[in-house]
Amino acid sequence: MAGIVKKRLGEILVDAGLITKEDLEKALEIQRKTKGSLGQILVDMGLVTKDQVMKALSSQLGVSYISLDDYIIDPEAITYVPRELAKKYMLVPIGKDGDKLIIAMAHPWDVRAIDHIRSITGMPTRTVIASEDEIKRIIDQYYGTNVSNSFEDVVREIGEDYQNEEDVEVNRLREMAEETPVVKFVNLLLARAIQERASDIHIEPRKNIVRVRYRIDGILRDMFDSSKELHPAVVSRIKILGGMDIAERRLPQDGRYVTGVGNREVDLRISSLPTIYGEKIVIRLLDKSAALLTLEELGYSKDNYDRFKELIKKPYGIILVTGPTGSGKTTSLYSAIQVLNTPERNIITVEDPVEYEIEGINQVQVNPKIDLRFSTALRSILRQDPDIILIGEIRDLETARIAIQAALTGHLVLSTLHTNDAASALTRLVEMGVEPFMVASSVLGIIAQRLVRKICPRCKYEYEPTDDVKLEFKELGLIKDSENFKLSKGKGCSYCNNTGFRGRTVVGEILVMDDKIRAMVLEKKSSDVIKEYAKREKGMITLREDAMRKVLEAVTSFDEALRVVS
């Protein structure tokens, strides 16, 4: 395999115009110190995307590159290679080409791995290169996990000798929570959630059953119903993991637990809430091993991406990301921070909670129990000589004033706010009690965003839109009156759990401040007036327009776009 290497990876990327020779020298210097992968170092520096590195490696090694997200895996091919070897060599068989077994590998230069696979399968192989993250996902998806594969089997193993919740004593609850079937059930609950890419698990007691739901791609989905008798033991097990009081079943509690599921480290944020039928549990899953998205990978349109990049180049001022809960605001801020994270800058964050740990960043966790709130943490941060400050959320007037004061005194501040669109963030700050002249002087721009589900690539099909749907695009100026076009949607398949969607991307509008908008803020003009000016004079793309553009590009469906931006 080594004989086919014609150029080094760095040279290929330079020749392709993706990086400069100076960029390569900096990356090689880092590699000499850290002994890390050059491709990953370039990605971490924000110079290239993982996709670009994979394509360059493909050219370097003379093997084809494929995206497993878009590839239909042959289930029979999977059976040729045991799970242990797939994980050991980071490869997965994906199909057959005549008598050859097609092997997707993260390290296709590993001749020993290829020889081993050939010897155990007795078949010649054809190797292709794929990303390690995608290969890990396929291994988890097709080989399953090490825990039992059936909730029903576990429930059957537990039996029916559990009592009703109100009758269970604390000591018995503790014993039940440590019993093998209950431990297995909770492990399976977590493993399946990770495998299904769930962000939250809901365990909801009803009158006669317990309903379990996963939030996947922002939508809650029913997974299964469980026996009511099992509920006390499962809740106790989860509360013990989270360091919560299992004897207290009348008051809400919060807990936290870090666990490993497969080869992933997962941070669990646990919340219990007493209901008339027992304690409802919600578990937020933060996959700490998941790679943070770069700014390029968020999915912004080119116009919005360029505006975002220009905003974060400013030396001081405040940049706000707005939208409802679950709209990806924190992810966007983390992506911006990765671009800004250089050795000459002191970056400090104050978050609730700290979702991902970033090397080189000073991250502060809010703790209301000891009165460490956003406002109190911010006062201390300003005495730490920061260049850039990230505030998880502006929740009150005190935090808003300190953040804006920091922006006015030479710091770049990034934060989030709950408003429906970009222009509303300006009037929201004034309504909170911030003086209009401080808002006008400090705010650089506002990014309003939502997350839309992407059409599943495996069951996507085209259809002719109705006249009413066509009118929507004509009114937005996205098509001409006489223009014919087709839209796309997903039929539903096993890959997307019959939803027609797989994954999410961002839609947004970015309002960049200018003197006219500052004057409007000082005059306390309405958000509608500011928005209309930004659209007419600044060329701002609205949330609705951006969503409909993604519909035309067959990224998402028309109904999904309407659901998110109506």
Side-chain angles (χ1 to χ4, degrees), residues 133-202:
D133 289 343
E134 290 182 354
I135 288 175
K136 286 178 180 176
R137 178 182 61 74
I138 295 298
I139 290 173
D140 285 345
Q141 181 178 343
Y142 282 86
Y143 287 101
T145 61
N146 289 324
V147 296
S148 170
N149 287 321
S150 167
F151 283 106
E152 292 75 14
D153 290 345
V154 179
V155 172
R156 204 176 300 116
E157 186 178 346
I158 290 172
E160 298 181 355
D161 59 347
Y162 287 94
Q163 307 168 56
N164 291 327
E165 186 165 358
E166 59 268 19
D167 300 327
V168 183
E169 294 180 354
V170 173
N171 289 338
R172 176 60 183 141
L173 275 175
R174 198 175 297 278
E175 290 173 6
M176 291 158 61
E178 298 298 335
E179 291 172 0
T180 301
V182 176
V183 172
K184 187 183 290 187
F185 184 91
V186 173
N187 287 347
L188 179 57
L189 195 72
L190 298 174
R192 280 284 177 85
I194 292 291
Q195 189 173 325
E196 298 289 343
R197 304 172 298 109
S199 61
D200 302 85
I201 302 171
H202 289 240

Side-chain angles (χ1 to χ4, degrees), residues 301-313:
S301 63
K302 186 180 184 308
D303 289 343
N304 282 338
Y305 171 76
D306 291 341
R307 290 180 183 183
F308 201 153
K309 280 290 286 274
E310 285 304 310
L311 277 177
I312 62 176
K313 287 179 182 178

